[in-house]
Amino acid sequence: RHTTSNKQRCKGTGNMVLQSVTIVERDAHGNVMVTWTYPELDPQQHDDELEMVLKARSQLQSITAPAEAGAEGQEAQGAAESSSFSKYKRTWVYMVTRPNDSQAEGLKKVTHVSLALLTDEFHPEKYLALTSALLKLYLANGHPLVSLQCFLSVLVKGSYENAEAGVSFNNDSFDIRLAYLSTPMKQIISTFGTDSILIWIALMLRRRVVVYSADLQQLLQTIRGLPLFVWHRQSWNNSLWPFIAGSEYEITDLNSAAGFIAGFTDSAIKNTADSAVVYDLLVDVDSQSIVVPQHAKETFVLSQLHHDLANFLVEMSADAERPDQSVIKELALKTKGLLARLESLKGKDPSAPDCVTIEGLHHAKVNPPLDRFLYNVAVAEDLASPQEQQ
């Protein structure tokens, strides 16, 4: 096991927010272990939990070993090459996994390597590019020293160049706005049709949303687009848990959040009765369906406002001439109008002059089921007290 000791998390200059880098390996006997990290993991800081999470998300434990496959001499199968972005305890985890085709002396007994980069920022394109560069350097050398040099160079200067290894990285080449817009909203609306309004309702109310797909890349591509439905919140960093592998620590972390958008590839999540995660909406990418669990039915009762907005979204997404950013803007304007209406409804109840209340909504002749929805939005936007929330 390589060691590079440094007890402090790494903070760079400029807009680089790197925390640490970790290497996870699987050997020919099927053992999966963390072999190097910088700065060094500290058990007193519960980094042993992080180590377990990184092992789970590397997917190296799910590879079929040669002995299990029943073919002598056959290499381990599964998880050949993959990349993912996820979050654990407000830290973003970017991982790239590759089979080991290196001739490096130190890697002769290693079948697969996964490298994890931990940062404070959602920006998959930028950090996966850097993660791939770090892994490429490690596989080429069999020792993390060159990868560490790259990590520190990017941390300090925002760039790294190694022509001999064919590795180049420059922080200035990446635009965060493109990361937000990577998944077309029109694609999501076209997939789920008028049921897309359920996504908008759940996110407006800061509810717990689970997204499922057996295909990790399809899951990540879809889930990163959901915050577009509530553009005014810019909630990528706060609300997204794009990939949960299912370990105990991950589930505990997720359940501690009041609201979330969480991604799963294990179909067991669809069984609400046995699920360790309590959620209010299931977005099933594979079946192109959205399911409301029984306990949340009242939250998603649709008013005429919802029906009208659902049809509006579908019509816009069907317009081949309309760019995706136009759809995002139009929904954002509709949302802004709704929030302005809520502001105007503050003080309609004489007993609560600075708040939106159910009584005040009734004074303004807002009837069920719209009254309950507007009140719950007001709570989510800190315009109302949550006592009456459902």
Side-chain angles (χ1 to χ4, degrees):
R1 177 177 180 136
H2 309 290
T3 58
T4 306
S5 180
N6 185 328
K7 297 294 184 183
Q8 301 298 315
R9 295 299 190 197
C10 300
K11 293 290 183 179
T13 57
N15 58 352
M16 292 304 295
V17 284
L18 306 180
Q19 283 191 15
S20 63
V21 58
T22 298
I23 292 173
V24 184
E25 296 177 349
R26 181 185 174 105
D27 66 21
H29 301 289
N31 300 310
V32 176
M33 64 195 77
V34 171
T35 57
W36 177 79
T37 185
Y38 178 87
E40 186 177 10
L41 294 178
D42 185 353
Q44 293 184 350
Q45 298 298 321
H46 304 289
D47 283 348
D48 54 336
E49 298 179 10
L50 176 60
E51 182 171 326
M52 295 297 293
V53 170
L54 295 181
K55 286 182 181 179
R57 293 187 184 175
S58 73
Q59 302 182 82
L60 294 180
Q61 294 167 318
S62 63
I63 296 173
T64 303
E68 296 167 335
E72 187 174 347
Q74 181 180 342
E75 293 188 4
Q77 299 296 313
E81 184 165 346
S82 66
S83 62
S84 68
F85 53 93
S86 57
K87 189 171 67 176
Y88 181 66
K89 292 189 174 180
R90 297 191 173 276
T91 293
W92 285 94
V93 180
Y94 298 92
M95 299 196 78
V96 176
T97 299
R98 289 179 185 160
N100 175 33
D101 56 4
S102 169
Q103 301 302 312
E105 182 67 27
L107 298 177
K108 286 188 175 180
K109 296 183 179 180
V110 175
T111 63
H112 293 75
V113 180
S114 183
L115 189 141
L117 182 67
L118 276 60
T119 85
D120 292 343
E121 181 186 28
F122 170 84
H123 198 155
E125 283 68 32
K126 177 166 75 173
Y127 292 112
L128 284 176
L130 178 54
T131 305
S132 293
L134 294 169
L135 180 55
K136 182 176 182 179
L137 291 169
Y138 178 64
L139 289 174
N141 293 274
H143 193 282
L145 179 59
V146 181
S147 298
L148 177 59
Q149 291 172 343
C150 174
F151 177 87
L152 294 176
S153 176
V154 172
L155 186 70
V156 175
K157 300 189 300 182
S159 64
Y160 177 79
E161 189 78 33
N162 186 329
E164 182 179 350
V167 171
S168 177
F169 178 88
N170 191 320
N171 176 59
D172 294 336
S173 301
F174 300 91
D175 186 340
I176 187 61
R177 294 171 297 181
L178 298 181
Y180 293 153
L181 300 172
S182 174
T183 298
M185 177 181 269
K186 290 176 67 174
Q187 176 182 309
I188 298 174
I189 296 170
S190 296
T191 298
F192 298 104
T194 54
D195 279 351
S196 300
I197 194 64
L198 300 175
I199 297 173
W200 181 75
I201 293 172
L203 300 187
M204 285 295 293
L205 303 185
R206 300 186 190 273
R207 292 301 199 255
R208 298 159 297 188
V209 178
V210 160
V211 183
Y212 164 76
S213 176
D215 184 324
L216 177 57
Q217 298 310 311
Q218 184 64 51
L219 171 68
L220 296 176
Q221 181 64 17
T222 301
I223 199 169
R224 68 184 296 179
L226 297 196
L228 293 170
F229 283 79
V230 283
W231 180 260
H232 68 291
R233 294 209 186 117
Q234 298 287 290
S235 58
W236 280 266
N237 275 303
N238 295 326
S239 66
L240 272 182
W241 275 259
F243 173 45
I244 303 293
S247 69
E248 175 186 352
Y249 296 127
E250 293 174 285
I251 300 302
T252 300
D253 177 44
L254 183 62
N255 282 334
S256 68
F260 55 72
I261 311 169
F264 291 79
T265 57
D266 185 350
S267 61
I269 193 65
K270 297 194 288 183
N271 187 348
T272 56
D274 297 330
S275 174
V277 178
V278 178
Y279 55 85
D280 305 306
L281 194 72
L282 171 66
V283 179
D284 190 333
V285 178
D286 293 354
S287 67
Q288 300 186 358
S289 63
I290 298 179
V291 178
V292 179
Q294 188 61 41
H295 76 268
K297 293 288 187 184
E298 288 188 15
T299 300
F300 294 92
V301 175
L302 301 184
S303 68
Q304 191 58 48
L305 179 147
H306 298 115
H307 288 295
D308 291 344
L309 183 55
N311 291 329
F312 180 70
L313 291 174
V314 170
E315 289 172 7
M316 284 197 299
S317 67
D319 184 354
E321 301 301 318
R322 182 184 289 272
D324 199 70
Q325 292 189 36
S326 172
V327 178
I328 297 168
K329 181 179 179 180
E330 289 297 327
L331 179 57
L333 288 173
K334 294 280 188 182
T335 301
K336 182 178 180 180
L338 178 70
L339 297 180
R341 181 183 180 188
L342 280 176
E343 284 282 357
S344 72
L345 291 171
K346 288 168 61 176
K348 295 294 182 181
D349 181 352
S351 66
D354 297 321
C355 296
V356 175
T357 67
I358 288 292
E359 188 65 29
L361 291 170
H362 291 166
H363 278 308
K365 302 189 184 307
V366 179
N367 297 317
L370 183 58
D371 60 342
R372 181 59 59 183
F373 170 73
L374 290 181
Y375 175 75
N376 288 340
V377 172
V379 171
E381 295 289 334
D382 295 325
L383 298 174
S385 172
Q387 280 85 354
E388 301 173 274
Q389 187 176 20
Q390 286 185 0

